[in-house]
Amino acid sequence: THALPGIVNVSFPGTKGETLLLLMDMEGIACSTGSACSAGIPQPSHVLIAMGRDEITARASLRFSFGATSTPDDVDAVMQVLPAIVERAKRAGKPAVAK
């Protein structure tokens, strides 16, 4: 009952929101790492922190906003690229192994 229709915030353990954001942008998908009122601020979402999420989880989150002009195809486009992007972001965060 305490939800806003059309706003989805998802955490992806083992990733950084900034990396996910960049990779999603490269696919032409707009999303955010925080609330709309704090766009461009390199801090974990104050909303997620207030909800009891820890800083690591908050920093590994993306917010997707869907509205009146959004279509099922828009959701499908996100879901089509999201799994591969999450895997890329996880690999990007792992330290390189010396050979």
Side-chain angles (χ1 to χ4, degrees):
T1 60
H2 293 36
L4 186 59
I7 306 295
V8 179
N9 191 293
V10 184
S11 297
F12 302 95
T15 69
K16 292 184 180 177
E18 294 83 13
T19 304
L20 293 166
L21 187 64
L22 175 68
L23 294 170
M24 293 296 279
D25 184 60
M26 290 171 57
E27 293 292 333
I29 296 174
C31 54
S32 176
T33 57
S35 63
C37 60
S38 64
I41 299 173
Q43 298 293 325
S45 168
H46 68 281
V47 174
L48 294 179
I49 298 297
M51 292 172 59
R53 302 301 187 264
D54 61 80
E55 188 172 323
I56 292 172
T57 300
R59 288 187 182 275
S61 300
L62 286 180
R63 178 180 55 86
F64 298 92
S65 300
F66 299 96
T69 61
S70 300
T71 67
D73 288 341
D74 295 329
V75 177
D76 289 343
V78 170
M79 296 309 299
Q80 184 70 33
V81 300
L82 190 58
I85 284 175
V86 170
E87 287 307 312
R88 282 184 67 191
K90 284 180 179 180
R91 286 193 309 269
K94 290 184 180 179
V97 177
K99 292 184 179 184

